[in-house]
Amino acid sequence: MFTLTIQTGLRISELAGLTRQDITLSAGANVHTVRQGQERTTHSAAAATKAVLKAWAGERPGAPDDPLFPTRTGTRLSRDAIERRLARHLALARTTCPSLRTKRVSMHTLRHTAAMRLLLAGNDITVIALWLGHEQIATTNIYLHADMSHKQRAIDKTRPLNSRQGRYRPPDALLAFLEAL
């Protein structure tokens, strides 16, 4: 569930609504979702994601219209059940990764992660908006919080042609003057 969400940027409602027939794992792997009457196909071409989904489908045989991620009784997981599963895995991960202890992670965070991965891979915001199923680019802008390395690469692309790459380092004389103020 989590691998698929990070790879595709699915909404929690889309994830909960997936059936076995919504996933194509052959060439051109994709996930087909329907939300509020609008259809969307999201590619999940990463080999690792396909491998995880193939293993999952192999362990849990069922009819094409069965939920992809069912409860113990075979019904669809609720949004709360999905968030509880994430919380359980986060609690486990926090025991070995202390930096997670101060972070709030939800299923929606995983969707944001997908958007940021697309941005850092050099995709245009319009492509990301289409990927996430946003009707307006303004919605996608909310998702994209460029990190410092991404901002530095953008600045480096705009530097004058005859200048050196990197950050400005003031000369020692300037620093001494400023410290003396």
Side-chain angles (χ1 to χ4, degrees):
M1 261 189 315
F2 310 130
T3 301
L4 182 63
T5 303
I6 288 173
Q7 179 69 42
T8 62
L10 290 176
R11 295 172 179 94
I12 192 170
S13 59
E14 293 170 325
L15 184 70
L18 286 178
T19 62
R20 297 175 61 82
Q21 66 192 358
D22 293 331
I23 303 290
T24 303
L25 297 174
S26 57
N30 64 67
V31 178
H32 181 81
T33 61
V34 178
R35 179 179 176 262
Q36 297 174 346
Q38 293 184 335
E39 294 187 36
R40 177 166 74 104
T41 299
T42 304
H43 296 280
S44 63
T49 303
K50 286 192 327 191
V52 167
L53 288 173
K54 280 182 182 181
W56 176 258
E59 287 178 19
R60 308 210 178 309
D65 60 343
D66 285 350
L68 181 63
F69 302 109
T71 64
R72 283 185 228 150
T73 61
T75 61
R76 293 186 190 285
L77 287 170
S78 68
R79 296 169 60 103
D80 289 341
I82 293 171
E83 287 286 0
R84 280 193 303 273
R85 280 169 175 72
L86 178 62
R88 192 173 4 173
H89 288 284
L90 276 169
L92 181 62
R94 286 178 174 135
T95 62
T96 58
C97 185
S99 66
L100 283 175
R101 292 180 188 146
T102 60
K103 293 183 171 69
R104 183 187 178 290
V105 180
S106 67
M107 290 300 293
H108 202 70
T109 306
L110 303 184
R111 184 168 160 79
H112 280 255
T113 300
M116 280 304 300
R117 290 179 68 205
L118 289 166
L119 178 69
L120 293 173
N123 290 287
D124 185 74
I125 191 167
T126 55
V127 172
I128 299 169
L130 286 170
W131 185 280
L132 296 175
H134 291 158
E135 291 182 12
Q136 298 180 2
I137 295 196
T139 306
T140 308
N141 281 328
I142 297 167
Y143 282 66
L144 304 177
H145 312 287
D147 65 6
M148 291 306 290
S149 63
H150 188 251
K151 290 177 182 179
Q152 185 64 50
R153 284 193 305 272
I155 290 169
D156 290 345
K157 287 180 182 177
T158 61
R159 65 182 166 81
L161 294 176
N162 60 352
S163 69
R164 289 187 358 233
Q165 185 173 346
R167 293 180 174 256
Y168 171 73
R169 303 273 187 235
D172 290 338
L174 177 61
L175 288 174
F177 169 77
L178 291 172
E179 288 174 1
L181 290 177

